[in-house]
Amino acid sequence: MRYEPLPSSFFAGNREELASRLPAGSMLILHANDVFPTDGTFALHQNANLFYLTGVDQEETVLVMTIREGGWDEILLLRETNEQIAIWEGARLSQEQARELSGIQDVRWTDEYDALLEALVPSASMVFVEANQHPRCTCPVETRNARMTKELKEKFPDAVLKNVYEIMADMRQIKKPEEIKALKKACDITNEGFRELLRFIRPGVGEWQIEGFLANEFISRGPRKFSFLPIIASGKDTCVLHYIQNDKRCEDGDLVLMDIGTEYGNYNSDMTRTVPVNGKFTPRQRAVYESVLNMMTYAKKILRPGILKSEYERLVRVFAAGELVKLGLITPSQVAEKPSDPPIVRKYYMHGCSHFLGLDVHDVGEANPVVLPGMVFTVEPGIYIAEEGIGIRLENDVLIGETENIDLLGDVPLLPDDIERLMAR
């Protein structure tokens, strides 16, 4: 393995918590993600909920749980390896390896799946399956869970099907110590790669070359991939929020905005830095940078237990209005039209400041939660001045603590003087 697996007790504890939330007499059927079809081989991106409950990072895996009064039974189904699979794809988990990894003792091969459902589904009061309800998810391609749920309806038309998504999303909002350790490792690798990158950026370098440099820095330290398709945007494209072409050369005098991150053991980092291509901010670039930095500092200060997420976002926008006035982008009279939440702010700061982070980059959870200890959020304010070709976003990952927050990316260079000093190397 490229990463140190989480202890089986972590996954067992998650299954215990899930079982306590499901009614007696019910059952759960949860499938791995598909491997994307191609004429070659794409890597599996595992179903986060299945990983959270089993620790298994292998295709065609199925978790079946049956809930009874005072307890539950659990069965893990695996794709059985054979000589051909071993030759062409490499060995798959043995049943004993899966037991050690997941803590599930009843491990079988997937050829028992149909018979198992015939035995269990008719007597279940309801069957919990997964349908992705993430607000950012669009699924034009049918997922394996959706496909198998459709088959389940056809074979067992009388079965009562329920979606486990909201239960799992609620469980995953609060990160356990094992998860925080993995998140911190992903953040540390991001920090190391970014520090090396600062010596590499210079006028004439291609955005794609920055992406390639980071890929080497990240993957050589253990991760399999970026957490998401990286944004390497220079010049006027710093004002394009989800720019992913990464196909231009970085010009002298411009900024380059990098929204990047890597994963470690399926847990993700998410960081944004904006730096001067030539290593020296212009006075205007520095002024905008410092305003965004002020926004970040304020946001981290108020993102504390007890605040409602929507109220936090509103307060950040109100604070941003003051920074935009200082920069001469808006006027006090425009702010005064609605000081409680000035609409004019969205001309230059049009996205939210924070989202959950974990097994998914935009991790699951309530749409508008009360902030609680153990949650992990990004903090990513920005100011985008399209008419000046200046877009600056800064982003760190923050663990909400009982007495104080912990910035998981707190060691990454952030102050403009530090950026310039490191780039001067």
Side-chain angles (χ1 to χ4, degrees):
M1 284 185 143
R2 294 189 183 192
Y3 62 90
E4 181 182 350
L6 301 184
S8 61
S9 58
F10 168 75
F11 305 109
N14 293 339
R15 294 192 301 275
E16 181 178 7
E17 181 179 352
L18 176 60
S20 72
R21 293 177 179 232
L22 301 182
S26 67
M27 67 179 295
L28 167 79
I29 305 171
L30 191 59
H31 291 267
N33 281 342
D34 284 312
V35 176
F36 195 80
T38 175
D39 61 347
T41 302
F42 273 111
L44 171 72
H45 182 85
Q46 187 58 290
N47 177 351
N49 284 333
L50 182 75
F51 181 84
Y52 186 76
L53 295 172
T54 68
V56 174
D57 222 346
Q58 183 170 298
E59 72 282 359
E60 297 181 31
T61 305
V62 189
L63 173 65
V64 178
M65 295 175 64
T66 54
I67 314 302
R68 47 185 167 76
E69 290 290 348
W72 74 98
D73 298 301
E74 51 193 25
I75 301 169
L76 186 65
L77 300 171
L78 291 180
R79 179 189 185 191
E80 184 175 9
T81 193
N82 56 43
E83 187 176 349
Q84 282 295 102
I85 291 173
I87 290 172
W88 286 92
E89 302 176 28
R92 292 298 185 260
L93 289 173
S94 68
Q95 291 178 331
E96 183 54 39
Q97 287 172 325
R99 291 186 188 101
E100 292 177 4
L101 190 62
S102 67
I104 297 172
Q105 297 308 304
D106 191 349
V107 180
R108 311 181 191 183
W109 302 127
T110 50
D111 59 8
E112 295 189 38
Y113 176 74
D114 290 334
L116 190 62
L117 264 55
E118 291 284 353
L120 297 178
V121 172
S123 59
S125 59
M126 62 188 71
V127 181
F128 283 89
V129 295
E130 180 187 289
N132 194 334
Q133 294 178 328
H134 196 295
R136 297 179 69 97
C137 177
T138 56
C139 296
V141 178
E142 191 174 49
T143 65
R144 184 177 182 86
N145 269 300
R147 192 169 66 251
M148 302 306 271
T149 297
K150 187 184 295 183
E151 289 185 13
L152 193 65
K153 289 179 181 178
E154 293 172 355
K155 291 181 180 178
F156 306 97
D158 295 331
V160 178
L161 301 184
K162 299 285 187 180
N163 190 0
V164 77
Y165 178 88
E166 289 188 1
I167 298 173
M168 293 298 304
D170 186 63
M171 287 173 57
R172 285 170 52 192
Q173 284 186 132
I174 306 296
K175 296 326 188 249
K176 298 178 173 65
E178 297 92 338
E179 297 178 278
I180 294 165
K181 182 179 178 181
L183 286 167
K184 186 64 171 71
K185 179 66 174 178
C187 288
D188 288 346
I189 293 170
T190 302
N191 177 23
E192 293 164 8
F194 177 70
R195 285 177 176 273
E196 294 299 321
L197 176 68
L198 286 177
R199 295 192 292 183
F200 176 75
I201 295 174
R202 65 201 64 176
V205 72
E207 294 167 349
W208 68 93
Q209 292 174 310
I210 293 175
E211 180 179 349
F213 186 95
L214 283 171
N216 177 69
E217 292 296 323
F218 290 166
I219 293 171
S220 66
R221 288 172 167 83
R224 296 172 299 175
K225 56 184 176 61
F226 287 102
S227 331
F228 51 90
L229 202 57
I231 296 168
I232 313 293
S234 64
K236 62 182 177 59
D237 290 317
T238 56
C239 296
V240 180
L241 300 184
H242 289 161
Y243 172 86
I244 55 173
Q245 287 85 350
N246 303 350
D247 62 358
K248 297 179 179 64
R249 291 199 178 273
C250 301
E251 301 296 336
D252 191 6
D254 282 346
L255 297 168
V256 56
L257 183 156
M258 298 163 287
D259 194 336
I260 55 177
T262 192
E263 58 81 42
Y264 183 80
N266 291 318
Y267 284 87
N268 299 284
S269 63
D270 187 0
M271 184 190 84
T272 306
R273 290 293 185 271
T274 309
V275 307
V277 172
N278 62 14
K280 191 75 174 177
F281 290 101
T282 67
R284 180 59 168 173
Q285 289 170 350
R286 179 179 278 262
V288 178
Y289 190 103
E290 289 177 345
S291 282
V292 177
L293 187 57
N294 290 340
M295 290 167 62
M296 174 187 261
T297 301
Y298 175 76
K300 288 164 66 174
K301 179 181 177 181
I302 66 170
L303 188 62
R304 296 291 297 135
I307 194 169
L308 190 66
K309 172 73 159 43
S310 58
E311 175 65 4
Y312 156 78
E313 295 283 2
R314 183 190 70 81
L315 290 172
V316 173
R317 289 192 295 271
V318 171
F319 184 90
E323 295 298 324
L324 295 174
V325 168
K326 286 195 299 185
L327 292 169
L329 296 170
I330 63 176
T331 65
S333 61
Q334 289 174 312
V335 175
E337 292 175 8
K338 189 182 178 183
S340 63
D341 195 356
I344 189 65
V345 167
R346 294 184 182 274
K347 180 179 179 181
Y348 298 102
Y349 169 49
M350 60 289 292
H351 56 77
C353 193
S354 295
H355 60 75
F356 283 125
L357 181 73
L359 282 169
D360 292 311
V361 177
H362 291 86
D363 211 14
V364 295
E366 296 176 60
N368 186 26
V370 173
V371 174
L372 297 172
M375 291 179 171
V376 176
F377 288 98
T378 63
V379 176
E380 49 180 312
I383 293 175
Y384 310 90
I385 315 170
E387 59 269 28
E388 299 181 33
I390 294 177
I392 294 177
R393 182 165 65 249
L394 301 172
E395 177 182 17
N396 277 12
D397 304 332
V398 174
L399 167 65
I400 307 301
E402 291 277 1
T403 57
E404 61 180 358
N405 293 341
I406 298 172
D407 190 335
L408 301 177
L409 287 166
D411 295 333
V412 183
L414 179 63
L415 298 177
D417 286 345
D418 290 338
I419 296 293
E420 290 183 345
R421 176 176 54 80
L422 291 168
M423 292 188 76
R425 295 181 302 169

